[in-house]
């Protein structure tokens, strides 16, 4: 089934199908409930929906998983965003005394968007992406994942494909959810190296001493640089990028050798002048280092696209990315809503039929409907992404257990 | 009886608990009864200590040797802690360590009551308390520092020497300020990154697994910021409970007195000494003197004389703007001699008092220039006097005439007179400042004549003006010396002044 068969006009017809049979509600609830460690955490969470005809509704909230399902199946949102956990139920915010309704907690999030790299990619621009520039996302994920874990000590990171041209990171640790605005902005600035707008030519400036964070990030960037910049983007082949090395470059066609020439030239320069000490490092970083939008990460009440939400323009589902398979992740292979709905309609194979009959005998009617639903997504390409999500939740759940035990001990609740 | 002794033991225990560390964050208010006398004494003494903090902070680099020495002397004199004793030895005389800590605790909370009321008061109080805290924290032994951190839930631990060695390269590369020596000599603390956001934001520190590794020199900054934040919040809360406190008639007058005590700079230690030439005084009096000093200067010029109150008010003001003793003597002598006083009489009767003002006679107190409060409230002029605060002491009609002579616009005069009617003398003077300097609004809150002068000079072009005028050749000064007998003395003085000015100029240029 070619993903390009997706047409946004079909959304009104297939969204209901998606929300009734494929959207992984129980995993979704398991995530946002965070083990029930904090009271009303799920109930006070804001969701926002973009409905048909671009109608946008905020301050949606739900008391149970069931209510969430029913409402989503009723409204069939084109887009779903997740906001903060507030002091009161968002859908009752108008009844609360003004000033007391406040955003309290939210995951620390990052949004990496390919359009922010337009000045350093020659293959595409704006909303387009291709395998050549997708490497930038791979680099971004590696660099940020390492930094968030090693430097900041965060452990529960969910990386999600946005559905079109970027990736999101949801840091779900309790400490992360409790961060203040100032703390979030400090984290984002710590992680920022590429600064400057269209007017700035040199966007990365390094000075001694080189901070360990930059060193570690360079290790990651250096791994991908030859492939990305030298080959795929051919930065040294394009007329604009080559300067005085014209002569030497005429003799050397292979990009790696050209780069070596550049490096040698730079080292020679280093001996004579103070400036340009970290020339090659700065180039590598300017081309490859992740560019994040600080404003997305700063706000506690900022709304971000939900995992498993559909991208209306491409039809692709915002799926979790398994970092163990990062090198082979292909955004163009991510299932579209049309694709998985079609897979649902496929006749069941013999093996599947037998399995479903067995389990049907064991369960009563209600459970059967539930488990049929659960089994439904398993028959589609969505399965492996839900499994990845499950694994992420399993790891987090261990920390919730610890928290619940602590709490019950405190309450002498044996 | 057993009852009371048991109770006494209890209070002692909790007191020993509270005062078992020389330093505290003042998180808990004192919970005992004290006499009004103690209340007053403690408060006044702490206020004196804080004023010393302010003065020293202006004149010396904070935590420099001189600063610390002088602060020690003052703390000792006021019976405050100055050097934390590791053990609670009973001193031969004077209060014990415990008693000093108790006094510290109580006096801090009393001053909170007095200084929480306005933004200015709060700012001043917080600034001095932070400086005091910085000084005291600095004086603690390393073990006491750690103990302090732990007691106050700043769970910052130091890392072991082995760990330091392992992390040495990362630590060195994380901060420009950290050298090999820093790593060797100083303790490094592990702090949760949420408590060191400024360092994280600028990537000026080594971050690992959610902790930043901070050398001791920077830990103080974090602790100070914490102290400042806590105090600021506490003052805001205190302000809300003030009405209850004010209803106690015993306390209200005392608290008012404390917070009205002049708390700004006292302008006694001049960094600008020698930067004003006598030639400039006439023009400065029109441009940058507050009305009180302009008035008293004018009457000095007209009458060639000023009585004691006027001499004190004006003489100290001149000292505050930078006149040296030699200049002052020359100034007063040259003016008095034009009147009924001859040179000998001046030397006998008046020179002494000028020298006294500069702390060169008698008990050698370096008197400080009068604040507006002092000019308005004390030192009231009587018949034959020309000092005081014109907005307070002049008849409104006379004031109006004077302002007209000084070319203040009619609408401006009306505004000033309104303020005078409402008894807002300093605001009236501030309005005068705004009108004469063509400003919509002054950027400061006037409470000292010398402050007026400095702000005026700032508006008119800053300190550069003064410098340039002094740099202009000293010759004009010599030419204008009128009294023949005074000429050689004056010439010699001018040379000294010129030398001094040059030295000071180069000092400030190098700085």
């Amino acid at each position: 089934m070619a993903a390009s068969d997706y047409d946004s006009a079909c959304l009104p017809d297939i969204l209901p199908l998606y929300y009734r049979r494929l959207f992984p509600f129980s995993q979704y609830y398991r995530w946002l409930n965070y083990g029930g460690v904090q009271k009303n955490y799920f109930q006070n969470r804001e969701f926002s929906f973009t409905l048909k005809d671009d109608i946008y509704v905020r301050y949606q909230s739900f008391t149970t998983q069931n209510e969430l399902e029913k409402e989503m199946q009723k409204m069939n949102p084109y887009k779903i965003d997740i906001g903060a956990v507030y002091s009161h139920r968002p859908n009752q915010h108008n009844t609360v005394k003004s000033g007391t309704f406040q955003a309290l907690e939210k995951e620390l999030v990052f949004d990496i968007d390919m359009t922010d790299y337009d000045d350093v990619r020659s293959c595409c621009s704006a909303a387009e992406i291709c395998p050549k520039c997708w490497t930038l996302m791979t680099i971004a994920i590696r660099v940020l994942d390492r930094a968030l874990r090693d430097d900041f000590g965060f452990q529960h990171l969910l990386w999600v494909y946005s559905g079109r041209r970027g990736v999101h990171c949801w840091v779900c640790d309790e400490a992360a959810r409790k961060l203040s605005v100032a703390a979030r902005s400090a984290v984002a600035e710590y992680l920022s190296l590429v600064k400057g707008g269209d007017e700035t030519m040199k966007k990365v400036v390094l000075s001694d001493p080189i901070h360990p964070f930059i060193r570690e990030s360079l290790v990651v960037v250096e791994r991908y640089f030859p492939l990305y910049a030298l080959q795929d983007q051919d930065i040294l082949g394009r007329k604009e990028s080559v300067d005085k090395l014209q002569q030497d470059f005429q003799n050397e066609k292979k990009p790696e050798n050209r780069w070596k020439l550049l490096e040698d030239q730079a080292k020679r320069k280093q001996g004579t002048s103070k400036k340009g000490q970290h020339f090659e490092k700065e180039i590598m970083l300017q081309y490859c280092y992740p560019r994040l939008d600080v404003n997305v990460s700063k706000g506690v009440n900022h709304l971000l696209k939900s995992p498993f939400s559909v991208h209306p323009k491409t039809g692709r589902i915002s799926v979790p990315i398994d970092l163990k398979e990062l090198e082979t992740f292909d955004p163009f292979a991510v299932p579209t809503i049309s694709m998985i709905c079609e897979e649902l309609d496929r006749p069941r194979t013999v093996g599947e039929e037998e399995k479903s009959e067995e389990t049907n005998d064991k369960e009563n009617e209600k459970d059967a409907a539930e488990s049929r639903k659960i089994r439904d997504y398993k028959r589609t390409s969505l399965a492996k992404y839900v499994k990845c999500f499950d694994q992420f939740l399993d790891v987090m759940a261990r920390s919730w257990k610890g928290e619940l035990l602590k709490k019950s001990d405190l309450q002498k609740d044996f | 009886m057993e009852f009371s002794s048991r109770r006494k033991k209890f209070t002692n225990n909790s007191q020993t608990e509270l005062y078992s560390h020389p330093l505290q964050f003042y998180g808990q208010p004192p919970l005992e009864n004290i006499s009004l006398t103690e209340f007053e004494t403690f408060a006044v003494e702490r206020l004196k200590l804080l004023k010393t903090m302010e003065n020293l902070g202006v004149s010396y680099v904070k935590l420099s040797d001189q600063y610390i020495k002088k602060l020690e002397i003052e703390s000792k004199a006021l019976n405050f802690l100055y050097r934390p004793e590791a053990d609670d030895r009973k001193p031969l005389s004077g209060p014990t360590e415990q008693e000093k800590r108790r006094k510290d605790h109580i006096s801090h909370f009393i001053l909170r009551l007095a200084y929480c009321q306005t933004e200015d008061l709060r700012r001043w109080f917080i600034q001095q308390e932070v400086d005091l805290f910085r000084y005291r924290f600095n004086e603690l032994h390393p073990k006491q520092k750690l103990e302090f951190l732990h007691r106050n839930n700043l769970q910052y631990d130091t890392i072991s020497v082995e760990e330091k060695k392992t992390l040495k390269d990362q630590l060195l590369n994380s901060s420009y300020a950290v050298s090999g020596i820093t790593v060797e000599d100083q303790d490094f603390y592990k702090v949760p990154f949420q408590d060191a956001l400024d360092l994280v934001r600028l990537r000026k520190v080594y971050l690992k697994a959610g902790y930043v590794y901070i050398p001791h020199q920077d830990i103080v900054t974090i602790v100070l910021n914490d102290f400042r934040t806590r105090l600021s919040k506490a003052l805001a809360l205190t302000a809300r409970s003030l009405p209850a406190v004010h209803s106690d008639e015993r306390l209200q007058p005392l608290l008012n007195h404390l917070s009205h005590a002049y708390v700004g700079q006292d302008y006694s230690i001049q960094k600008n000494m020698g930067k004003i030439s006598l030639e400039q005084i006439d023009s400065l009096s029109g441009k940058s003197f507050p009305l009180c000093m302009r008035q008293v200067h004018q009457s000095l010029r007209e009458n060639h004389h000023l009585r004691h109150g006027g001499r004190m008010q004006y003489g100290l003001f001149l000292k505050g703007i930078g006149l040296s003793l030699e200049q002052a003597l020359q100034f007063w002598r040259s003016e008095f001699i034009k009147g009924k006083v001859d040179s000998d009489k001046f030397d006998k009767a008046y020179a002494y008092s000028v020298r006294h003002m500069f702390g060169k006679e008698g008990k050698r107190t370096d008197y400080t220039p009068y604040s507006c409060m002092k000019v308005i409230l004390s030192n009231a002029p009587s018949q034959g006097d020309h000092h005081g605060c014109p907005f307070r002491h002049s008849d409104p009609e006379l004031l109006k005439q004077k302002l007209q002579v000084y070319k203040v616009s009619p609408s401006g005069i009306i505004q000033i007179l309104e303020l005078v009617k409402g008894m807002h003398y300093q605001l009236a003077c501030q309005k005068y400042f705004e009108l004469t300097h063509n400003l919509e609004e002054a950027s400061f809150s006037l409470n000292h004549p010398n402050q007026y002068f400095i702000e005026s000079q700032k508006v008119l072009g800053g300190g550069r003006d003064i410098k340039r005028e002094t740099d202009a050749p000293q010759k004009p000064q010599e030419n204008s010396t009128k009294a023949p007998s005074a000429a050689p003395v004056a010439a010699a003085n001018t040379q000294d002044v010129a030398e001094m000015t040059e030295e000071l100029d180069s000092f400030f240029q190098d700085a």
Side-chain angles (χ1 to χ4, degrees):
Chain A
M1 187 73 245
S4 52
D5 279 319
Y6 168 76
D7 177 6
S8 58
C10 69
L11 273 182
D13 297 320
I14 51 179
L15 275 177
L17 190 59
Y18 179 64
Y19 290 126
R20 266 188 297 121
R21 292 176 64 187
L22 292 165
F23 189 94
F25 284 107
S26 97
Q27 286 85 346
Y28 199 65
Y29 178 80
R30 189 179 174 213
W31 171 35
L32 294 174
N33 191 39
Y34 284 97
V37 174
Q38 272 173 261
K39 267 181 87 173
N40 292 321
Y41 213 66
F42 181 78
Q43 290 77 0
N44 290 346
R45 170 80 69 166
E46 180 192 0
F47 295 87
S48 77
F49 295 153
T50 307
L51 309 175
K52 192 162 164 216
D53 298 326
D54 272 331
I55 300 175
Y56 183 64
V57 289
R58 266 194 78 175
Y59 299 113
Q60 305 299 297
S61 61
F62 313 98
T63 45
T64 59
Q65 175 186 333
N66 215 14
E67 193 184 321
L68 171 74
E69 279 189 49
K70 294 250 171 344
E71 287 302 309
M72 276 173 66
Q73 283 156 4
K74 202 162 61 177
M75 296 200 251
N76 289 307
Y78 277 37
K79 277 199 268 185
I80 307 169
D81 289 334
I82 300 180
V85 176
Y86 282 80
S87 51
H88 305 77
R89 293 196 191 167
N91 64 5
Q92 293 175 348
H93 74 281
N94 284 323
T95 67
V96 176
K97 192 167 93 172
S98 95
T100 45
F101 179 70
Q102 291 180 3
L104 299 178
E105 297 189 12
K106 193 176 69 75
E107 294 74 12
L108 172 63
V109 294
F110 297 94
D111 180 352
I112 319 282
D113 190 327
M114 200 70 89
T115 48
D116 292 337
Y117 292 79
D118 279 356
D119 60 310
V120 289
R121 47 178 191 146
S122 51
C123 50
C124 309
S125 67
E128 311 161 325
I129 57 168
C130 75
K132 284 188 182 173
C133 50
W134 183 257
T135 318
L136 286 172
M137 292 295 117
T138 311
I139 299 174
I141 295 176
R142 288 267 181 240
V143 169
L144 294 176
D145 196 75
R146 182 214 71 78
L148 288 167
R149 285 181 197 278
D150 294 349
D151 293 11
F152 286 98
F154 295 128
Q155 297 176 313
H156 307 293
L157 279 62
L158 180 69
W159 286 96
V160 181
Y161 172 53
S162 74
R164 188 160 61 156
R165 60 184 194 224
V167 294
H168 300 156
C169 178
W170 295 77
V171 185
C172 302
D173 296 57
E174 189 183 347
R177 286 179 271 133
K178 290 176 150 56
L179 288 177
S180 64
V181 172
R184 285 162 207 258
S185 109
V187 173
E189 286 189 47
Y190 176 91
L191 297 170
S192 299
L193 271 182
V194 180
K195 302 192 172 146
D198 286 341
E199 305 301 305
T200 323
M201 282 299 112
K202 193 158 187 248
K203 297 194 163 83
V204 181
V205 179
L206 298 180
S207 52
D208 282 320
I210 305 268
H211 192 278
F213 164 76
I214 300 180
R215 255 185 236 282
E216 293 295 330
S217 305
L218 273 167
V219 168
V220 178
V221 169
E222 275 167 6
R223 267 179 26 218
Y224 293 90
F225 184 73
L227 171 65
Y228 174 71
L230 300 180
Q231 298 223 9
D232 294 342
Q233 299 293 325
D234 196 19
I235 59 172
L236 295 179
R238 312 181 68 78
K239 222 162 184 221
E240 305 88 73
S241 338
V242 175
D243 50 19
K244 295 173 207 156
L245 296 162
Q246 276 282 10
Q247 278 290 10
D248 305 328
F249 277 21
Q250 287 196 350
N251 304 328
E252 270 301 341
K253 292 294 179 217
K254 277 186 105 188
E256 290 88 356
N257 295 346
R258 282 183 169 181
W259 181 250
K260 188 86 192 13
L261 278 173
L262 196 77
E263 281 186 313
D264 290 339
Q265 198 41 293
K267 279 203 184 72
R268 247 176 285 145
K269 269 198 183 156
Q270 257 178 38
T272 52
S273 73
K274 271 200 153 182
K275 271 190 174 181
Q277 265 185 339
H278 301 295
F279 185 56
E280 338 86 82
K281 298 194 175 78
E282 287 165 350
I283 292 187
M284 283 196 275
L285 293 172
Q286 180 152 344
Y287 271 92
C288 300
Y289 186 85
R291 301 173 178 207
L292 13 120
D293 184 354
V294 178
N295 290 317
V296 169
S297 311
K298 246 187 0 190
V300 179
N301 52 7
H302 187 97
L303 291 149
L304 186 64
K305 186 151 188 278
S306 167
F308 296 105
S309 172
V310 184
H311 196 299
K313 297 215 172 76
T314 62
R316 297 209 195 270
I317 312 288
S318 289
V319 292
I321 300 175
D322 186 352
L323 260 58
K324 294 198 286 290
E325 321 248 308
L326 184 58
E327 307 302 323
T328 51
F329 180 83
D330 178 7
F332 298 97
V334 170
T336 62
I337 186 175
S338 338
M339 183 160 107
I340 52 181
C341 286
E342 214 152 311
E343 286 168 346
L344 261 185
D345 284 339
R346 260 195 328 225
R348 290 181 184 217
T349 63
V350 176
E352 281 176 332
E353 280 290 343
E354 286 178 354
K355 246 211 196 145
S356 78
E357 272 174 29
E358 266 178 41
T359 23
N360 267 342
D361 293 332
K362 293 182 190 161
E363 304 154 357
N364 63 31
E365 243 179 67
K366 190 168 170 230
D367 286 342
E370 268 292 320
S371 42
R372 202 184 309 133
K373 212 192 299 166
I374 296 172
R375 276 177 275 138
D376 272 346
Y377 76 76
K378 284 195 183 163
R379 298 172 55 213
T380 69
S381 314
L382 200 59
K384 73 168 182 176
Y385 299 100
V386 179
K387 185 165 179 216
C388 170
F389 192 44
D390 270 326
Q391 288 167 345
F392 164 75
L393 292 173
D394 286 337
V395 174
M396 256 212 306
R398 282 182 238 144
S399 69
W400 300 336
K401 255 204 206 117
E403 283 301 303
L404 283 170
L405 275 175
K406 246 197 272 175
K407 269 197 163 185
S408 70
D409 279 349
L410 282 173
Q411 291 163 4
K412 316 257 185 239
D413 216 25
F414 302 121
Chain B
M1 291 190 7
E2 273 157 66
F3 237 32
S4 54
S5 67
R6 214 184 294 151
R7 206 181 305 152
K8 213 195 282 174
K9 231 198 255 172
F10 177 68
T11 25
N12 271 345
N13 273 344
S14 68
Q15 271 212 359
T16 358
E17 236 306 296
L18 185 57
Y19 299 140
S20 55
H21 195 281
L23 205 54
Q24 59 164 301
F25 261 152
Y26 308 107
Q28 296 298 329
L31 291 172
E32 48 173 302
N33 298 327
I34 62 171
S35 66
L36 272 180
T37 331
E38 237 186 357
F39 188 91
E40 182 160 2
T41 325
F42 280 6
V44 168
E45 290 188 343
R46 192 185 191 86
L47 187 56
K48 285 193 192 158
L49 182 63
L50 293 185
K51 287 218 201 151
T52 311
M53 296 291 327
E54 182 182 29
N55 286 336
L56 292 178
V58 166
S59 342
Y60 301 103
V61 172
K62 291 182 192 173
L63 298 189
S64 65
D65 288 331
Q66 283 170 305
Y67 179 91
I68 292 181
K69 223 177 6 165
K70 295 209 171 212
L71 197 42
E72 255 188 48
I73 297 173
E74 188 68 21
S75 301
K76 199 171 176 182
L78 294 167
N79 285 324
F80 276 104
L81 326 156
Y82 58 95
R83 204 177 314 144
E85 311 298 330
D87 49 337
D88 199 17
R89 280 172 289 149
K90 280 237 178 329
L92 296 169
S93 64
T96 63
E97 187 66 17
Q98 281 284 0
E99 283 163 5
K100 285 192 214 160
R101 293 177 192 180
R102 175 178 167 265
K103 174 173 171 172
D104 178 58
H105 185 211
I106 295 176
S107 61
H108 171 89
F109 275 90
I110 299 175
L111 286 189
R112 273 198 201 180
L113 293 174
Y115 282 89
C116 64
Q117 302 178 66
T118 70
E119 193 53 50
D120 280 343
L121 288 174
R122 276 189 265 202
R123 206 181 309 143
W124 182 85
F125 182 64
I126 292 178
Q127 182 60 50
Q128 311 322 318
E129 285 284 341
V130 167
D131 285 344
L132 180 62
F133 187 89
R134 181 191 291 119
Y135 156 71
R136 286 181 176 171
F137 188 78
N138 199 47
E139 295 285 291
L140 292 175
H141 303 308
K143 231 178 60 180
Q144 288 175 310
K145 281 180 177 146
L146 260 183
E147 202 195 324
F148 176 79
L149 292 176
H150 288 173
R151 272 162 164 262
N152 289 284
N153 285 324
L154 296 171
Q155 292 300 342
Y156 307 157
D157 283 309
T158 50
I159 59 177
S160 65
V161 180
E162 294 85 44
E163 199 177 349
K164 242 203 304 187
K165 245 201 227 157
T166 333
L167 295 175
K168 182 166 177 195
D169 279 334
Q170 281 95 322
L171 293 173
L172 276 178
N173 286 322
S174 303
S175 166
Y176 197 73
V178 172
S179 66
I181 301 180
T182 320
V183 180
E184 289 255 350
D185 292 347
Q186 290 193 26
D187 276 327
F188 271 73
Y189 294 79
K190 238 171 98 164
V191 174
F193 84 89
Q194 292 92 329
D195 291 353
L197 290 180
D198 287 330
L199 292 171
V200 171
R201 178 191 308 274
L202 298 170
R203 219 182 293 119
K204 281 199 170 155
V205 69
Y206 180 55
L207 174 63
K208 185 170 98 157
Y211 287 89
V212 293
Y213 290 74
I214 305 194
H216 175 72
Q217 69 207 20
D218 291 337
I219 250 308
V220 186
T221 318
I222 294 184
V223 175
L224 281 178
N225 281 338
D226 201 344
F227 180 70
R228 187 191 294 265
T229 320
R230 289 187 200 206
L231 186 53
S232 185
K233 282 195 197 139
L235 283 179
L237 281 174
T238 314
R240 266 180 250 168
S241 50
L242 261 189
V245 174
H246 275 169
S247 62
D248 188 327
E249 287 154 5
R250 301 170 295 171
L251 298 182
Q252 196 192 6
L254 172 66
L255 292 177
N256 279 339
H257 166 69
L258 279 174
S259 63
H260 286 133
Y262 172 68
V263 295
Q265 231 190 311
D266 65 10
Y267 302 96
S268 63
I269 298 153
Q270 309 89 285
K271 288 187 178 164
N272 290 325
M273 171 107 77
K275 284 195 164 206
I276 308 272
S277 77
L278 297 180
E279 269 307 276
Q280 301 171 259
I281 293 188
D282 278 320
S283 80
L284 282 174
S285 79
K287 285 191 292 182
S288 292
F289 281 10
L291 197 59
C292 52
M293 302 302 172
R294 184 176 187 179
Q295 182 175 280
V296 83
H297 173 78
Q298 190 163 0
S299 81
L300 174 63
R301 286 285 191 227
E302 278 168 12
N303 306 318
H304 308 298
H305 191 270
L306 269 185
R307 296 171 84 207
H308 176 77
R311 289 201 304 274
M312 285 304 283
Q313 179 180 310
Y314 191 34
L316 288 172
F317 171 76
L318 288 175
K319 185 172 80 152
I321 68 172
L323 238 58
S324 67
L325 174 58
E326 291 72 23
Q327 286 178 300
L329 283 168
Q330 182 188 346
F331 176 73
W332 291 105
R333 171 189 272 116
S334 66
E335 203 50 54
F336 272 42
I337 279 175
K338 285 186 229 165
K340 301 183 203 147
V341 176
D342 64 59
S343 172
D344 277 349
K345 179 156 187 218
F346 180 86
D347 285 339
K348 267 192 239 167
Y350 297 102
Y352 176 94
S353 95
V354 177
R355 283 202 301 279
H356 200 278
M357 257 189 253
F358 279 76
K360 302 281 187 244
E361 299 284 356
K363 64 177 170 154
R364 295 176 199 258
T365 319
D366 205 2
Y367 287 97
T368 61
Y370 294 173
S371 64
C372 289
M373 203 63 87
K374 184 142 188 197
V375 172
I376 294 172
L377 294 177
S378 27
N379 203 29
S382 38
Q383 188 56 26
D385 281 327
H386 300 273
H387 60 268
C389 172
F391 301 100
R392 165 75 177 86
H393 297 119
S394 288
D395 175 50
E397 264 311 303
L398 287 177
L399 177 61
K400 184 169 165 193
Q401 278 174 30
K402 186 155 276 173
L403 291 171
Q404 282 167 338
V405 169
Y406 289 157
K407 304 215 182 64
V408 179
S409 69
S411 60
I413 295 182
I414 293 176
Q415 285 176 50
I416 291 181
L417 290 178
E418 271 305 305
L419 288 166
V420 166
K421 211 160 86 170
M423 299 210 285
H424 305 298
Y425 309 118
Q426 284 157 269
L427 289 177
C429 190
Q430 213 170 297
K431 177 59 66 196
Y432 171 73
F433 179 96
E434 289 162 11
L435 293 164
T436 51
H437 291 78
N438 270 321
L439 289 173
E440 271 288 301
E441 214 180 296
S443 58
F444 62 96
S445 205
L446 181 63
N447 51 27
H448 199 293
N450 287 86
Q451 179 195 19
Y452 184 107
F453 179 77
I454 289 177
E455 289 296 333
S456 169
Q457 287 290 297
K458 260 197 234 167
V459 170
L460 297 173
R464 302 239 156 254
D465 263 349
I466 304 179
K467 230 191 182 173
R468 256 186 264 129
E469 282 170 40
T470 342
D471 280 348
Q474 301 296 324
K475 293 194 189 112
Q477 248 177 305
E478 293 169 18
N479 288 341
S480 72
T481 346
K482 280 148 196 164
S485 53
V489 180
N493 280 342
T494 323
Q495 261 179 13
D496 289 338
V497 169
E499 271 173 38
M500 200 170 22
T501 320
E502 271 167 30
E503 278 172 39
L504 277 169
D505 273 347
S506 60
F507 174 80
F508 282 113
Q509 266 159 18
D510 289 342

